[in-house]
Structure formats: structure tokens, C-alpha cells
Amino acid sequence: NDEFGEAITSFSSLEVSCINPRGKFLLSLHNNGIMLQNPKKAEEQITITKEAVKHAVWFRKPEDYKSLKQLKEGSKKPIPGHMILMCLEDDGITFRKKAMKQICFQLPSYAAPSVETDEDINEEDWYNGLNSSLLSEQKSITRVLATMDAQPSKTKKE
């Protein structure tokens, strides 16, 4: 798919848990959108272009805050990934013969800050990757933060 652009290699075929549509999918970020593919049926895929996304919201599930509270300093337990909710344009996307108004999935867990690793993609990497794949100059991801969320360093808008 040429209009979709190249896959961003560090974000290629990563398993995510989808809430809508329900199931596990392989997520790949591209220059002009993202793709969700059913790992069991390769022909079953959802391609979401920048133009198809009206809004995107980045948030945590309430139960994930409980897990975060229980993490001790220096803990090696992974941190639950954020939820991504994408509200789609009306002429949106069809999947399994149904028109989709929104797509929601949970990102893979992030490594704990005390764990040194080269492979894991951290929270800011995901945020920046999704922002560049899905959103244009006019749109950005709405980030829902609670007081216990570490405030991201790059939130200033010029």
C-alpha cells in the first residue's frame, strides 16, 4: 500500500490487545497511518490512515493505576501500556462487514525504569511514534494524565 508509507521498523508487528474490535492484533506504525493485522488470518487487517482519524486519546485503564501504585522503587515488573482510543471520520473504516466509528487498543507493557534494555519501546517512543503515524500538524493526541503519571518532558507547544 503505497499511500501508507514505509513501516517504521521499531514499531513493526507488535502484538496489542484490541478492545474494539475485540481480539489480539499485530500493530505496525507507518509514515502515514497504522495497520492492525489478525495474527491468525493475515488477510484480516485494518488500515487506518491519517485522514481517517478525527481524534486520538491516550489514557490508562483505572485498574492499571492500582498496578502502578504497587510498583516499588527499583521494581523490575513491567508497567502496563496505555490505551489508545481513535475516533474515526464518518466515512471511516469497515472491518468484518461493520462500519467502525472507533478503534481502541492497549499498547504492550513498558519495561520498568530500573530495567536496562535496548529492545523495549518506552512510553515517549510510543507517543511520538503514534503522533507521527496518525496525526498531522492540525491534530494531536489528547493525553489524559492523573497526578501519579510521570509528566512527560516534551509537552510544551511552541
Side-chain angles (χ1 to χ4, degrees):
N1 197 340
D2 290 340
E3 64 179 318
F4 214 45
E6 283 181 45
I8 301 169
T9 45
S10 52
F11 298 99
S12 189
S13 297
L14 299 166
E15 190 172 280
V16 295
S17 181
C18 268
I19 310 307
N20 185 38
R22 201 120 187 87
K24 298 259 185 226
F25 287 83
L26 298 176
L27 169 71
S28 297
L29 301 188
H30 294 258
N31 293 334
N32 294 313
I34 67 172
M35 184 186 324
L36 291 165
Q37 185 172 24
N38 185 333
K40 294 181 180 120
K41 294 184 192 161
E43 71 281 358
E44 213 176 72
Q45 57 188 31
I46 306 169
T47 53
I48 306 150
T49 61
K50 282 184 180 185
E51 294 74 35
V53 179
K54 243 194 251 184
H55 307 289
V57 182
W58 167 283
F59 64 99
R60 285 193 197 281
K61 294 189 301 194
E63 59 268 29
D64 290 345
Y65 282 107
K66 198 172 180 181
S67 314
L68 282 177
K69 261 188 190 160
Q70 293 166 349
L71 287 178
K72 304 279 182 276
E73 193 67 42
S75 170
K76 304 243 183 282
K77 269 179 76 173
I79 297 165
H82 282 85
M83 300 296 296
I84 307 300
L85 171 64
M86 293 176 290
C87 300
L88 306 173
E89 294 293 348
D90 293 336
D91 55 355
I93 292 165
T94 306
F95 181 65
R96 294 179 183 151
K97 299 181 181 150
K98 289 186 189 139
M100 310 230 21
K101 294 282 182 208
Q102 65 215 19
I103 293 175
C104 188
F105 58 88
Q106 184 166 19
L107 295 174
S109 294
Y110 317 120
S114 60
V115 175
E116 288 297 316
T117 176
D118 294 333
E119 278 106 63
D120 281 8
I121 301 167
N122 71 27
E123 182 179 328
E124 282 303 299
D125 295 337
W126 270 113
Y127 183 80
N128 294 330
L130 284 163
N131 226 354
S132 66
S133 287
L134 284 178
L135 303 157
S136 59
E137 297 294 313
Q138 299 81 30
K139 302 178 198 168
S140 67
I141 297 174
T142 301
R143 207 169 191 172
V144 178
L145 295 171
T147 50
M148 66 185 295
D149 275 313
Q151 300 298 311
S153 54
K154 298 174 222 139
T155 52
K156 290 183 191 133
K157 288 207 171 179
E158 300 300 319

